[in-house]
Amino acid sequence: MSKKSASVWTSIPFWRRSAAWVTGVATVLLIWLTFDTIGQISMGTDEELAKGITKRIPAASVINYHIDYKFDEKRGHEVPVIGEKENFFGKQWSNEEAAALLHKGKLTSQAKNCMNCHTLLGNGAYYAPDLTKAWLDPKWNDGTMTGITGKETTEEAMAEFLMHPSQYPTHARMMPDLGITKEEAVALVAFLKHMSAIDTNGFPRNFSQSAKRIEGGTHAF
């Protein structure tokens, strides 16, 4: 009587080799994805900005540039567009100065617990408006808030609002007075402007349209 050949599906050596191959391929893929992610989330440089090279996270000195938000037909959502240079609080900041300013702004946002009410880059609460693209809110750029605060530029109007929110009722849910100093306000505005320049794959969706539909005024704070 001839022996019946065993199926490969019941072969222990087969499954051991398969497991080794799958593990090897998954490891290589994970390593590739890790390096690709590092490249995607690494902050760009001042030199790249000057050459018009767009990084997902631009250099800190992007606060020296005009930032817009436009629909990209190819990607199917809105993306930040870095334009020409413009002064920020009346001057051009070196990359080192800008980086220090952003760091102070980030620490201030944490110290003042901004995410207790707001969302920043997908993290935080939903009691108050999302701040991810607050710098791009139409109300800050169409003369509305500069007129209300009596300031000449968007950044000055933002800083004034942050220091004295109770004087400028812009939303159904009023922002409390957090005792923000002038230095902290300038740093926070820099932090918000840089955050608006980050390519977040269209998040929040249709911001430039939805911001105009927010009931009760500006979408920013």
Side-chain angles (χ1 to χ4, degrees):
M1 181 181 290
S2 61
K3 290 185 177 181
K4 187 176 181 180
S5 58
S7 170
V8 68
W9 302 112
T10 60
S11 171
I12 293 178
F14 168 78
W15 287 111
R16 284 175 177 169
R17 289 193 297 271
S18 298
W21 273 102
V22 170
T23 301
V25 171
T27 300
V28 171
L29 181 61
L30 182 60
I31 292 172
W32 179 80
L33 287 173
T34 299
F35 280 101
D36 180 68
T37 300
I38 291 173
Q40 293 286 346
I41 65 175
S42 295
M43 184 177 283
T45 65
D46 194 36
E47 291 74 20
E48 288 172 330
L49 273 178
K51 294 177 181 178
I53 299 174
T54 304
K55 296 279 288 190
R56 187 172 292 274
I57 303 178
S61 57
V62 75
I63 62 174
N64 296 319
Y65 291 79
H66 178 77
I67 300 169
D68 204 349
Y69 205 50
K70 296 183 178 180
F71 189 82
D72 186 305
E73 294 287 349
K74 185 176 181 180
R75 295 177 62 180
H77 57 69
E78 293 169 309
V79 297
V81 178
I82 312 302
E84 299 296 322
K85 279 195 171 186
E86 62 181 15
N87 283 347
F88 185 70
F89 285 102
K91 61 175 282 188
Q92 290 285 299
W93 301 68
S94 69
N95 200 50
E96 292 72 23
E97 290 174 327
L101 196 63
L102 294 189
H103 182 65
K104 183 177 180 64
K106 180 180 179 181
L107 293 181
T108 301
S109 73
Q110 293 170 342
K112 300 300 181 180
N113 295 315
C114 295
M115 287 199 297
N116 276 4
C117 296
H118 298 280
T119 303
L120 284 76
L121 294 171
N123 298 302
Y126 296 93
Y127 179 79
D130 191 319
L131 296 184
T132 304
K133 302 298 180 185
W135 173 264
L136 300 168
D137 188 299
K139 296 296 183 183
W140 292 108
N141 295 285
D142 65 3
T144 300
M145 292 306 296
T146 50
I148 291 174
T149 58
K151 300 298 180 180
E152 294 184 358
T153 65
T154 298
E155 59 267 28
E156 291 170 340
M158 274 190 163
E160 172 66 18
F161 176 86
L162 288 169
M163 290 187 290
H164 310 290
S166 61
Q167 296 182 22
Y168 310 104
T170 58
H171 198 273
R173 295 171 178 171
M174 288 284 291
M175 177 177 167
D177 190 337
L178 300 175
I180 296 173
T181 66
K182 179 62 179 297
E183 286 186 354
E184 289 173 335
V186 170
L188 275 172
V189 174
F191 178 66
L192 291 172
K193 184 173 184 180
H194 181 268
M195 184 161 54
S196 75
I198 297 175
D199 186 342
T200 53
N201 285 326
F203 175 86
R205 293 290 177 182
N206 300 316
F207 172 80
S208 60
Q209 283 77 32
S210 62
K212 297 175 184 177
R213 297 194 298 268
I214 295 298
E215 184 177 355
T218 181
H219 183 76
F221 297 104

